[in-house]
Amino acid sequence: MRPSEQIVVQWRDVDWKRQLIRVERARVRAVEKSTKTNTVRDIDLTPRMMSVLQRQKVHSFMRGLDSPIFINPVTNNPWPDVQDQRKLYFHPTLRALGIRSRDAYQTRHTYATTALMGGVNPAYIARQLGHKSAAMLFRHYSKWIDHADYGREAAKLNQIYS
């Protein structure tokens, strides 16, 4: 999810049975709006993310299904903007881990490149990220798609033509 989507995702957006979360809104500069691409999408949740949501229940679930999942632990209120979250938590965490400073949005790029390098279908990754097609992935991540397969694609061709 984009950080602006993550701060407004609500408990009602979680489908526990199908293990997915619906993304249909964002908050930018304290204003709630539709997503960047004006589309609604469902994101598959990994077992690790399901575990994060289970642990998060103690902090905000009892506020109701329309409550944001992630709230500011200092004010106990919804995040007004991603800047507060970034300044108070993301950047200090990076410093503590010895990782150079970056925008939280970069985590989307990490997700995309890691998935591509792992051989995940680019069309699936694009849907999860909320892109209209895989063209965006090919345009921005082609260097990771090419040469990241450790020879798997060449081996496939060799098998077809041998």
Side-chain angles (χ1 to χ4, degrees), residues 116-119 143-157:
L116 288 167
M117 291 173 70
K143 65 183 172 196
W144 297 103
I145 298 169
D146 203 20
H147 307 300
D149 66 351
Y150 305 104
R152 286 188 306 259
E153 300 308 311
K156 289 177 190 175
L157 279 176

Side-chain angles (χ1 to χ4, degrees), residues 20-39:
L20 58 84
I21 196 162
R22 175 147 293 170
V23 179
E24 57 186 50
R25 71 191 80 75
R27 182 175 296 130
V28 178
R29 295 187 178 101
V31 176
E32 195 166 307
K33 61 183 201 82
S34 65
T35 63
K36 180 179 177 181
T37 57
N38 295 313
T39 59

Side-chain angles (χ1 to χ4, degrees), residues 128-148:
Q128 295 294 289
L129 290 171
H131 297 164
K132 292 183 192 284
S133 71
M136 174 79 109
L137 276 179
F138 292 121
R139 195 167 40 254
H140 292 281
Y141 302 103
S142 60
K143 65 183 172 196
W144 297 103
I145 298 169
D146 203 20
H147 307 300

Side-chain angles (χ1 to χ4, degrees), residues 79-123:
W79 292 100
D81 200 286
V82 294
Q83 274 69 319
D84 290 352
Q85 193 179 52
R86 187 176 355 160
K87 283 187 278 188
L88 293 172
Y89 294 95
F90 190 72
H91 284 148
T93 300
L94 292 178
R95 275 193 300 279
L97 294 171
I99 299 172
R100 69 177 169 80
S101 185
R102 66 195 68 207
D103 191 323
Y105 201 89
Q106 297 299 318
T107 58
R108 286 174 53 84
H109 302 312
T110 303
Y111 166 81
T113 55
T114 303
L116 288 167
M117 291 173 70
V120 178
N121 182 324

